Amino acid sequence: MSGSPSMTASGDDGVVGPTLPAARCDTPSPARTVQGLPSLPGIVLLWFLPKRVGASLAASGWHAAVAAHMLSVIVGLGLIVCAELPPTFNSLVKQQFLGWDIEIDLPAPRMTCSEYVRGPFAAIAVVVHAAGPGSGGFARSLLALTGIQGAVLLLAVVMMPFAAAGEPAGRLFGRCLRLTWWSTTLLIPLGLVWWAEPQWRSWLDLPDEWHAVDSAALALFGVLWLIVLLRSGYRYAGKAQGPAWSARTPRCEKCGYRIVGLPYSTNCPECARPVAESLAERRAPPPFAVADTPVRTISAFWPTAWKVITTRDFFARLPVHSGHSRARAFFLMVCVVNWGLAFLGAWRVGTAFQAEVVLVHALADAVVVACVVLLGHVLLAAAFAGAVSAIARRALQPAAVATFYLMSSTVPITIGAVTLLVAGVTTATIVDDIATPLAVDVIMSLLLAVGLVVFAWALVRALMNARRAIVQTRFANR
Ligand SMILES: [Zn+2]
């Protein structure tokens, strides 16, 4: 009886077969690659088609990734430094220098094309050397460089559960690190926009000082960066090796005991759980994972989320060795829903105590809060999947699948928190107003109570679900 590629772990005569088929038996199609430095023009393609070119860039080796990263840090940061330097470096800056108003009678200096190209490099050199050895300019630059590399390492780790294709963890980390280096090329367009800031500000007739819209634009740029980074890792074009391509041993799903050769009708000798309850075919994809059109996908979201939150054995029925990309799509929908909820909550709180609401300011502030909440979600999912995988010594891909579904437990928490916030600030703004109708007071008190109950219930549920997601998928046979 060999491990047939069917989804069951069973032999024909009612005993458990010797192996479970590997989760993947396909051979990933190799990416079209350009090795080494000639791959640098791929930078621009990455910004617009991250999913398509990500695999090629990851396969183009370490040298190209490091070169692309160093070039973009120097050019991107150099352009930002140029924007803050006096007009010698940036003929677009005419009035402001480090917060001081300066009057220049001379016309803006003319720079040649080659001076423009060399500008960012010169600006970085000036910053590194300007302060001199006595005042720690070099040490500050070194510290900044260490900070950048620390952030890159963190982003690469965060990316791992999203990019996991079933390859060994070390190779996955290498791929994520190279792609994170490639993604830092987005510093170049950011630097260009920053550098040209005085110009487009005058075109758009915007004031010179930092504006709430600037924060919102920066937050949205951060989300765009995150999307480019995560999507660049969606396609895997490496070797067909790793946990996903290895056959597994059928185990008792409660205690991990090898149940090979045991009849279905018996119990696990270790923990007495019926063998039939550990069979692979007990796990079936949730509605979201089998929806085949965009409309069905959207309509399957809420039933699946409801199942995750309220069903005790959702994770005992969830196949975790397959369906990674659908689980990831589910998590992204959770992010969108929470982004919207956070935006509404922040909007209400931000506008509650202002006598005169400036629409643009309130919108921009709410966008920033919602983007921070979104980033928090991605970090939380990555941290949970990573911790489950590291502590329980499980492959990252199945840990990520369980985590992505688990994350829908945050939706009722956000609903509860937003209801509490909205009811709280509304009550606070009407508390001194004697003319407020009694009905409004009653409704607000009810909303406060509902928000508090939902929040507490959702928090307890989320913690219980997190425990179930770990326990019920630890020895999953499918
Ligand atoms: Zn057992």
Side-chain angles (χ1 to χ4, degrees), residues 252 254-255 257 268 270-271:
C252 166
K254 188 176 176 191
C255 69
Y257 183 84
C268 167
E270 195 71 25
C271 69

